[in-house]
């Protein structure tokens, strides 16, 4: 760069729909990271990007600068292919917990850096922490060792991973600029590529309970993520999946671990298993091990023969948790003191279960956070007694509130409003399309 640009010139340029050069984009992200750009200028640029977007080259450079604002893990000493899965966030989305050990059992390393719950959507870290003793704050050398030896480790984001994203995300949250496809895509990819992976499978959720409310936006987000992946030389497959109804039968941290263990035992709800098998098949294909169809068969087989459960047991033990959770979850996991049914108001079929309403009901009971600094209650949440498509009779339980006497009235009202009962049975598969 020949001369240092004035921040306001760059804001004006983007505001007016002109492209920023690579140097200008890198100057900007460096200023976000070292704090030399003030919040008001960073926020103004975010709004300009929100309206004007980023071209393919701009997006690749912006994401690369965010990625290199912090450490990139070096897992080159691990010979197995390294592939992760990211979900854009759902209700009852516990898939990472059975998926990561299952993929590891098939010979692919899964270095998974996960997040906490956001709004009405749950986070893998909160779920894992409901296992007594489970530590998600391992140092990088221990993380690398476990990925090498076991094929899997699940930790939280460290301060050194994509620090530019931390500042940008906090500003987006308070400036109405979260819902921007280039900003979401670069935010996700800056963190995922920092894991030192060879490839990624993105579970892009669409529907009432997701960030992306329609298929067009989900496709555009998937394409933006693939473009960033391509520019970084990584293989990225995007699976677009429905998030209108919660996944599986549980929402809430310990409840979701219990369901995950059932899937790892070859049991569990059909849709939780279907997503685990489908995403796992794509991960094995991204790793170059086999075709997606063959990958699905291999994942189903390690769920059924106990080898995925065995890796999960070792993973829990290695991360300080009580490994008995793999064999007798009820003896180990915290349980709510009360279990109260919500019943069907009339005969019919379950047309849908609004994921956002059910997620908020669980949050109100204490399974999620109202504010960033809140603690979660690992024991509480919602257990669904029916699935979309089931025929129900008036008075039959649709779900149970598992609670510890907090937020019960408000949660009851939310959960009752989450069920739509109709005359006709709807379709059941969640997998809408795959972008290779
Ligand atoms: N998840 C992220 O990590 N970033 C976003 O911007 C949205 C969802």
């Amino acid at each position: 760069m020949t001369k240092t640009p004035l921040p306001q010139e760059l804001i004006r340029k983007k505001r007016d729909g002109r492209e920023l050069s690579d140097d200008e984009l890198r100057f900007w992200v460096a200023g976000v990271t070292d704090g030399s750009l003030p919040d008001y200028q960073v926020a103004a640029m975010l709004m300009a990007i929100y309206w004007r977007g980023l071209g393919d080259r701009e997006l690749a450079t912006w994401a690369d600068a965010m990625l290199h604002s912090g450490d990139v893990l070096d897992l080159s000493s691990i010979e197995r292919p390294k592939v992760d899965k990211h979900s854009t966030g759902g209700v009852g989305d516990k898939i990472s917990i059975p998926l990561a050990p299952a993929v590891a059992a098939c010979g692919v390393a899964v270095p998974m850096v996960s997040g906490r719950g956001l709004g009405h959507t749950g986070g893998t870290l909160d779920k894992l922490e409901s296992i007594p003793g489970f530590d998600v704050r391992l140092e990088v050398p221990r993380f690398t060792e476990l990925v090498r030896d076991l094929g899997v480790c699940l930790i939280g984001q460290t301060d050194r991973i994509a620090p530019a994203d931390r500042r940008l995300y906090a500003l987006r949250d308070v400036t109405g600029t979260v819902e921007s496809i280039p900003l979401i895509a670069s935010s996700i990819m800056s963190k995922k590529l920092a894991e030192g992976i060879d490839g990624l499978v993105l579970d892009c959720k669409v529907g009432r309970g997701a960030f992306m409310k329609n298929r067009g936006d989900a496709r555009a987000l998937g394409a933006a993520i693939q473009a960033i992946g391509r520019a970084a030389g990584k293989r990225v497959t995007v699976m677009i999946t429905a998030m209108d109804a919660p996944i599986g039968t549980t929402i809430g941290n310990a409840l979701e671990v219990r369901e995950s263990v059932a899937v790892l035992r070859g049991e569990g709800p059909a849709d939780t298993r279907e997503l685990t098998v489908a995403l796992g098949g794509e991960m094995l294909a991204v790793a170059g091990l086999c075709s997606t169809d063959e990958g699905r068969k291999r994942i189903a087989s390690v769920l059924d023969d106990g080898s995925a459960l065995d890796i999960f047991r070792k993973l829990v033990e290695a991360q300080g948790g009580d490994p008995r959770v793999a064999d007798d979850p009820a003896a180990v996991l915290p349980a709510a003191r009360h279990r109260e049914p919500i019943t069907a108001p009339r005969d019919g079929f379950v047309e849908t279960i609004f994921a956002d309403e059910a997620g908020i009901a669980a949050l109100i009971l204490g399974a999620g956070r109202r504010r960033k600094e809140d603690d979660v209650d690992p024991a509480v949440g919602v257990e669904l007694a029916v699935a979309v498509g089931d025929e129900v009779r008036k008075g039959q339980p649709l779900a149970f509130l598992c609670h510890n006497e907090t937020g019960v009235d408000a949660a009851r009202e939310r959960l009752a409003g989450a069920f739509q009962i109709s005359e006709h049975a709807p379709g059941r598969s969640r997998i809408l399309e795959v972008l290779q």
Side-chain angles (χ1 to χ4, degrees), residues 80 83-85 94-112 114 124 150-154 264 276 280 283 299 302-303 308 311-312 315:
R80 305 191 210 189
V83 177
D84 193 11
K85 185 267 314 186
K94 68 280 290 173
I95 302 299
S96 292
I97 302 174
L99 176 66
V103 171
C106 293
V108 173
V110 186
M112 198 175 262
S114 299
T124 301
L150 264 184
V152 58
C153 186
L154 291 122
L264 283 162
T276 306
M283 287 173 78
I299 297 289
V302 296
L303 293 176
I311 302 252
F312 175 71
L315 167 78

Side-chain angles (χ1 to χ4, degrees), residues 169 172 184 187-188 191 211:
Y169 198 91
R172 286 167 58 207
I184 295 175
S187 165
I188 290 173
K191 290 173 287 200
F211 274 122

Side-chain angles (χ1 to χ4, degrees), residues 304-345:
D304 294 336
D305 71 9
S307 39
L309 184 69
D310 192 41
I311 302 252
F312 175 71
R313 191 185 293 107
K314 290 181 178 143
L315 167 78
V316 170
E317 187 160 28
Q319 296 201 223
D322 188 336
R324 288 176 306 154
V325 71
D327 303 296
D328 190 1
V332 172
L333 295 170
R337 290 191 294 279
H338 307 276
R339 193 165 177 270
E340 176 189 317
I342 303 285
T343 55

Side-chain angles (χ1 to χ4, degrees), residues 128-129 131-138 153-155 316 318-321:
L128 290 170
E129 281 180 344
I131 303 171
F134 197 101
D135 186 2
V136 296
R137 282 173 296 232
L138 304 187
C153 186
L154 291 122
I155 57 168
V316 170
Q319 296 201 223

